[in-house]
Each structure stands twice: as C-alpha cells, then as structure tokens.
Amino acid sequence: MTTYYHYHTTPIGQLLLAGDGDYLTLLGFPQGSMARRHELPWSKDSKPFREVMFQLDAYFAGDLQEFDLPLAPVGTEFQHSVWNALTEIPFGQTWSYGQLARHISRPKASRAVGAANGLNPIPVIIPCHRVIGSNGKLTGFGGGLKTKQFLLNLETEVIAPGLNFA
C-alpha cells in the first residue's frame, strides 16, 4: 500500500500530512517531541489531502470548530478509546487527564491516558491540545508548549474575542 504525504503551511509551521489516499493517518509537527518528516518510500502528492488542507485552513482562520475527515490513526484499542474521547472535548474548552480518564470509564488511568494522548498520531484534528494538567497548567505537547498555547488561544479567541487562555 502506498503512503502519500504533503507538507502544508499553517500558522504553526509546515505540517506533515500522510495517509493512504483515502484516510489521513498522520499529522506531524515541524518541531517538538513529535516532530515528523516523511519516510523514503512515501510518495509526495498533495491531491489526497485537499479536504484536509481546506479544513485546516478554515480551522486556523477561525471558521471551523469541528473537523469532518476520514481518519485512520494506528494504535491500540485503549489508545483509540482515548483518541475518540478527545474529539468529544468541546472546541475552546479543556479537560484534565483525570477528566479524560473518567470520561472513558477508567478513572485510575490518568497516566495511561496521558501516554495515549501523547502518542496521538493526528494532533490538532484529534484535539489532544485541549488536555491540560489538573492544576490548570499546560503540560507537554508533541508540537511544543508554544504550539499548544497558540491552539488554545486560537480557539478561545473564536469563542470569546478578546480573551486569551493563560
């Protein structure tokens, strides 16, 4: 099976988009602990990502609050349960790792939830940036804390212009 890729310019840098032509399987950051680059056998082609790019542009313009894209993240059953729950965090809001663990009926699994959150292969679209520490502070993020802060500020600004997440 062929994996296609494209780098898309956004306010948070060149995002790597990768997938099989039907499903998006990866969104990689240009910096941070989850920085990703394409792999040698992949084929460069922007066509499979037209809708992804359109929706990302609308999100960054403040015109889209919920992505509707065919996604195929690769992970365990537990990781999928966490990633699915992430999509239920309302735009412009944040949950703690504990809230997320309780939401998936695993109240004692905050650390495992945090690990799954950190391995999210399609950040921004699967909004792992909406998870913060129980004390309300920003915690690690694969694209770096500045990127996480930017995304949270973007969403807050759309909902309540003039306010910033701090």
Side-chain angles (χ1 to χ4, degrees):
M1 178 181 295
T2 302
T3 297
Y4 299 97
Y5 76 95
H6 174 71
Y7 289 93
H8 184 58
T9 302
T10 72
I12 59 173
Q14 293 276 320
L15 300 180
L16 169 64
L17 307 175
D20 64 7
D22 294 318
Y23 295 92
L24 182 68
T25 58
L26 176 76
L27 184 152
F29 291 113
Q31 71 281 330
S33 63
M34 293 298 283
R36 292 292 308 266
R37 301 291 304 161
H38 66 279
E39 296 178 20
L40 289 179
W42 295 1
S43 296
K44 185 174 184 173
D45 190 349
S46 64
K47 288 183 223 122
F49 306 105
R50 286 183 182 156
E51 185 62 22
V52 177
M53 293 184 294
F54 175 79
Q55 288 191 33
L56 281 168
D57 290 346
Y59 170 80
F60 285 112
D63 297 328
L64 180 78
Q65 295 185 12
E66 188 173 323
F67 291 94
D68 184 17
L69 296 165
L71 307 176
V74 176
T76 66
E77 185 177 332
F78 177 77
Q79 289 169 331
H80 277 271
S81 72
V82 172
W83 300 337
N84 288 334
L86 290 170
T87 66
E88 297 175 32
I89 302 173
F91 181 91
Q93 294 184 27
T94 57
W95 288 3
S96 70
Y97 293 99
Q99 284 176 286
L100 192 55
R102 288 188 297 278
H103 186 76
I104 64 167
S105 300
R106 301 284 300 269
K108 297 183 183 208
S110 293
R111 287 181 189 225
V113 163
N117 190 56
L119 293 174
N120 173 13
I122 311 175
V124 181
I125 293 168
I126 299 175
C128 54
H129 60 278
R130 296 181 188 155
V131 181
I132 60 173
S134 60
N135 60 2
K137 300 214 178 214
L138 297 188
T139 55
F141 185 63
L145 289 181
K146 285 184 180 182
T147 299
K148 184 172 189 165
Q149 183 75 64
F150 178 90
L151 295 170
L152 292 172
N153 286 347
L154 172 79
E155 293 184 9
T156 302
E157 185 64 27
V158 169
I159 291 176
L163 295 179
N164 274 326
F165 185 91

